[in-house]
Amino acid sequence: MTRAELFEQILGINEIRVERVDWQEQSIHIYRSSILEEAICPNCLQKRLVVNQTYERQFLDLPITGNEVYLHLSQR
């Protein structure tokens, strides 16, 4: 089992794939992306297959073994 697969099981979110995990001195950074093929347009609320732009959102999660955990989500 890879480190990414382990964190996918820990997070327990089926629609999210863990791309990579970076361990730093006092923090853990988990980079994730959606496995869904379509997204909802924030303006018209319609399902879209074509992605016009993506950006990364960062969330501070609960600590693991005293290390801060940052979740990075590539969002459409």
Side-chain angles (χ1 to χ4, degrees):
M1 176 180 295
T2 67
R3 189 183 299 175
E5 292 171 338
L6 175 66
F7 276 93
E8 282 179 6
Q9 287 185 355
I10 289 171
L11 293 172
I13 304 172
N14 295 332
E15 296 83 13
I16 299 293
R17 174 180 51 240
V18 174
E19 299 291 335
R20 74 179 200 268
V21 178
D22 290 341
W23 297 80
Q24 297 181 1
E25 193 170 306
Q26 294 184 2
S27 63
I28 302 169
H29 293 262
I30 303 171
Y31 293 86
R32 313 168 305 156
S33 63
S34 175
I35 62 170
L36 301 176
E37 293 184 14
E38 54 189 30
I40 304 293
C41 174
N43 295 324
C44 66
L45 301 178
Q46 298 295 316
K47 291 183 181 180
R48 300 288 181 212
L49 294 175
V50 177
V51 178
N52 292 330
Q53 81 186 110
T54 61
Y55 59 94
E56 183 178 289
R57 295 182 68 185
Q58 179 177 305
F59 304 93
L60 179 62
D61 202 357
L62 296 174
I64 297 177
T65 64
N67 294 317
E68 291 180 337
V69 176
Y70 293 94
L71 304 174
H72 300 265
L73 176 62
S74 177
Q75 188 164 355
R76 300 177 191 190

